[in-house]
């Protein structure tokens, strides 16, 4: 496994590759979440002795879909932030509106994940890092995104300009 945490958009085809991946993640997330909802709809017909395990299976599917949807949201926000850094003619307000939509969608996604990890604490467990996704981590993410929406984006909008355009700080330190 060779995870790619950044995309060198200056290389031919990388921007388009990332866009294609984002579209695939969005579609995969929709399919997984829809499949989980279909499984959940069947739960009343599952014998009582097997219902808990059936609910866990549905929860795994939804959790996977929500994790994939997070990846889609991260990639989409990456595109918008990259535009602000590299295109001095980018419509700052328009990009900020799009970023707000993405962050709100991810807040909704994160909140929908909370009952899943509350029901089955095994979800999100990654042994080498002890845990990756549990209630506290999701609540932390919700807090960070809320701060971006309520404080940092309005401050950037009020300034009317992206001050730190140095790509070596991208995507970290974007807002300062």
């Amino acid at each position: 496994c060779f995870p790619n945490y950044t995309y060198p958009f200056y290389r031919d085809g990388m921007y388009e590759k990332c866009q294609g991946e984002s579209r695939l993640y969005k579609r995969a997330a929709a399919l997984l979440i829809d499949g989980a909802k279909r499984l959940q709809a069947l739960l009343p017909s599952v014998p009582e002795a097997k219902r808990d395990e059936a609910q866990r299976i549905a929860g795994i599917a939804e959790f996977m879909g929500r994790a994939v949807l997070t990846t889609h949201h991260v990639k989409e926000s990456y595109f918008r932030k990259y535009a602000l850094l590299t295109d001095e003619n980018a419509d700052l307000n328009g990009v900020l509106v799009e970023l707000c939509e993405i962050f709100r969608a991810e807040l909704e996604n994160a909140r929908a994940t909370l009952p899943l990890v509350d029901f089955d604490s095994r979800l999100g467990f990654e042994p080498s890092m002890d845990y990756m996704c549990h209630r506290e981590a999701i609540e932390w993410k919700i807090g960070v995104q809320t701060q971006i929406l309520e404080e940092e984006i309005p401050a950037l909008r009020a300034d009317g300009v992206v001050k730190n355009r140095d790509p070596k700080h991208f995507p970290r330190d974007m807002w300062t």
Side-chain angles (χ1 to χ4, degrees):
C1 176
F2 299 100
N4 186 7
Y5 295 110
T6 61
Y7 282 84
F9 287 159
Y10 58 86
R11 288 179 43 204
D12 286 344
M14 290 304 289
Y15 189 84
E16 293 78 11
K17 177 183 178 186
C18 190
Q19 284 183 315
E21 289 175 358
S22 184
R23 283 191 302 273
L24 291 173
Y25 282 123
K26 183 178 182 179
R27 177 75 175 130
L31 290 171
L32 283 162
I33 292 169
D34 181 60
K37 290 185 187 311
R38 291 173 188 237
L39 288 171
Q40 289 165 350
L42 296 173
L43 289 176
S45 64
V46 174
E48 184 70 36
K50 296 182 178 187
R51 195 168 297 148
D52 187 67
E53 189 59 26
Q55 188 171 352
R56 289 183 193 284
I57 292 169
I60 290 169
E62 184 175 352
F63 180 82
M64 290 170 58
R66 298 212 171 275
V68 171
L69 187 56
T70 291
T71 303
H72 166 71
H73 290 148
V74 167
K75 286 181 180 288
E76 290 300 310
S77 66
Y78 189 89
F79 294 134
R80 296 340 180 269
K81 291 181 210 176
Y82 187 78
L84 290 178
L85 283 179
T86 59
D87 183 359
E88 292 189 21
N89 297 318
D91 174 17
L92 177 65
N93 191 54
V95 173
L96 293 178
V97 166
E98 291 174 349
L99 279 168
C100 287
E101 290 170 4
I102 294 165
F103 285 128
R104 284 188 194 104
E106 183 53 28
L107 281 172
E108 180 182 322
N109 185 46
R111 289 181 180 122
T113 305
L114 287 170
L116 301 171
V117 298
D118 287 345
F119 177 74
D120 187 349
S121 64
R122 298 173 294 182
L123 294 174
F125 179 71
E126 202 288 327
S128 72
M129 294 182 233
D130 192 27
Y131 252 102
M132 291 293 295
C133 183
H134 48 81
R135 175 169 276 280
E136 292 78 18
I138 296 169
E139 288 174 343
W140 171 83
K141 178 171 84 168
I142 288 170
V144 169
Q145 290 187 331
T146 300
Q147 179 182 348
I148 290 170
L149 281 167
E150 293 178 358
E151 298 172 22
E152 296 176 16
I153 288 179
L156 185 56
R157 187 176 278 131
D159 286 347
V161 64
V162 176
K163 294 176 185 173
N164 185 359
R165 289 188 178 269
D166 187 347
K168 73 179 179 186
H169 296 290
F170 178 73
R172 188 187 46 184
D173 301 334
M174 162 83 187
W175 308 109
T176 58

